[in-house]
Amino acid sequence: MPAGLLPVMAHDLGVDEGIIGQFISVWALGTVVVTVPAITYTQGFRRKPLLLGALAGLVLANAVTAVSSDVVISLVSRFVGGAFTGILWGMLAAYGRRISPANRGGLALAVVATGAPVGFALGTPLGSFVGGVFDWRWSFAGLSALGIVLVGVVAVVVPGLPGQLSTHRQPLRRVFLLPGIPIVLLVIFVWMVGHNTIYTYIAPFLRDSGSGLTPDLVLLVYGVASIGGVIVTALVIDHHPRLLLQASIAAFIIAAAVLVAEHASPVAVLLAAGLWGLAFGGASPQLQSALSIAGGAQSDLANAFLPVAFNLAIFAAGVVGAVLLGLSGGLILGVFMGVLGAIAFVLTVVGRTTFSARG
């Protein structure tokens, strides 16, 4: 949400945009610090009460952000919200696979992961619009209201599942070192840094590009296209996982090149945003699937590493993006996006056996 509200939040709270960028970084830090210990501790908990508790915590954190006028309190609320989000991300992949047919695990993850690009397609630009027309606080209040509705729906609709038996659990370090898991986590981190640096600071990038486009429009195009990325992923992931991942990263690199080379053209920037969304929309299910397959019976704990890697990257992107903006302005973010995408692509070649596995 802060990515689309940087200017208005900064103005209202009397701070610069780099500080508001840290709203995203501390959210990520909360996820990094809490996820693995929380998922480790709660392996034996029944899944549905854990899901409901994490959602309730997220509702409360967003409500505090909506009413707070103190930057420190707001940052603390983002940290807490990130912590509860980490618990959600750490359990949802395995939850989705366990209530689905065994031979359609990749498709199940794609369905579960559809929420993220729909959120990007609707939530971020809608939040930006509401914040621009009314007040940014209404955006976060709306998230809390939707969260309350979601808690009710989950309570009625979602099936319950038992936790993992203690006899089936392995030590955290052993799970982390299972073959394939480190290389998947490295791809997640590198690709996410490349993505989130420019996503977080899209407003300064567009301001310096000379295209005249607004963040809400660009993020809307990105979000709608990312739904297409999930659809493509759902169709292909159970058959050609490595080819799909490499094609996605290649499209991501091309989008970065267009953003840099044609930054002043509104049409080119919107086309690049669409390609960017198409490329990155399926990233989560693609990487979660690889992580789940590598984790095997320990997929719950293996997937706890995913939000940690994602959010370490988000934290790093918030800090690195602020530094890059201070040194070179917004356009350098497109270059950084392309370079990190290229590194991620090389890593998929190095770990080709891992990314070829099917679940």
Side-chain angles (χ1 to χ4, degrees):
M1 190 70 75
L5 296 169
L6 275 177
V8 293
M9 291 180 70
H11 180 267
D12 183 61
L13 294 173
V15 296
D16 62 36
E17 292 177 350
I19 296 296
I20 302 302
Q22 303 320 302
F23 275 48
I24 299 173
S25 293
V26 297
W27 176 282
L29 185 61
T31 302
V32 168
V33 170
V34 172
T35 300
V36 172
I39 294 298
T40 302
Y41 176 73
T42 60
Q43 286 182 84
F45 288 26
R46 291 192 62 82
R47 300 290 90 183
K48 187 170 179 176
L50 182 61
L51 175 60
L52 289 169
L55 285 171
L58 185 58
V59 167
L60 180 61
N62 282 324
V64 172
T65 304
V67 301
S68 172
S69 296
D70 184 278
V71 171
V72 175
I73 293 176
S74 298
L75 287 169
V76 171
S77 74
R78 305 323 294 154
F79 179 90
V80 173
F84 282 113
T85 301
I87 296 172
L88 292 169
W89 275 105
M91 65 181 293
L92 285 177
Y95 208 146
R97 291 180 74 97
R98 287 176 64 188
I99 61 175
S100 303
N103 65 337
R104 304 302 284 166
L107 177 59
L109 285 177
V111 172
V112 170
T114 301
V118 170
F120 287 132
L122 303 178
T124 306
L126 180 60
S128 178
F129 173 77
V130 171
V133 175
F134 300 102
D135 187 290
W136 64 268
R137 298 179 188 280
W138 284 106
S139 299
F140 288 94
L143 281 180
S144 288
L146 288 173
I148 291 171
V149 173
L150 181 59
V151 167
V153 172
V154 169
V156 174
V157 174
V158 176
L161 290 174
Q164 189 178 36
L165 297 175
S166 59
T167 53
H168 294 165
R169 301 173 200 165
Q170 291 190 20
L172 181 66
R173 181 177 178 274
R174 185 177 297 174
V175 175
F176 179 80
L177 295 177
L178 287 173
I181 286 183
I183 191 71
V184 176
L185 293 175
L186 192 55
V187 172
I188 291 170
F189 178 78
V190 172
W191 195 9
M192 189 64 183
V193 170
H195 161 79
N196 216 70
T197 302
I198 189 168
Y199 189 89
T200 300
Y201 295 103
I202 190 67
F205 173 83
L206 293 173
R207 184 177 59 228
D208 293 348
S209 72
S211 66
L213 295 171
T214 58
D216 53 348
L217 176 59
V218 173
L219 293 179
L220 176 62
V221 171
Y222 166 89
V224 171
S226 68
I227 297 174
V230 173
I231 293 172
V232 171
T233 296
L235 294 172
V236 178
I237 191 170
D238 284 315
H239 308 289
H240 305 287
R242 180 164 64 92
L243 180 62
L244 173 65
L245 180 62
Q246 291 178 335
S248 297
I249 298 177
F252 180 84
I253 297 168
I254 294 170
V258 174
L259 286 173
V260 173
E262 300 293 334
H263 58 82
S265 167
V267 174
V269 170
L270 290 175
L271 288 173
L275 183 59
W276 175 15
L278 187 65
F280 198 77
S284 178
Q286 290 170 34
L287 295 167
Q288 278 184 304
S289 179
L291 205 55
S292 296
I293 293 168
Q298 306 301 317
S299 61
D300 258 3
L301 195 51
N303 272 286
F305 295 123
L306 182 136
V308 173
F310 257 82
N311 286 280
L312 275 174
I314 293 172
F315 178 80
V319 175
V320 171
V323 172
L324 291 175
L325 282 175
L327 293 176
S328 302
L331 294 182
I332 192 66
L333 302 178
V335 177
F336 190 69
M337 172 185 175
V339 170
L340 270 289
I343 294 172
F345 186 88
V346 171
L347 289 171
T348 65
V349 175
V350 172
R352 56 187 175 275
T353 302
T354 295
F355 295 107
S356 296
R358 303 175 189 177

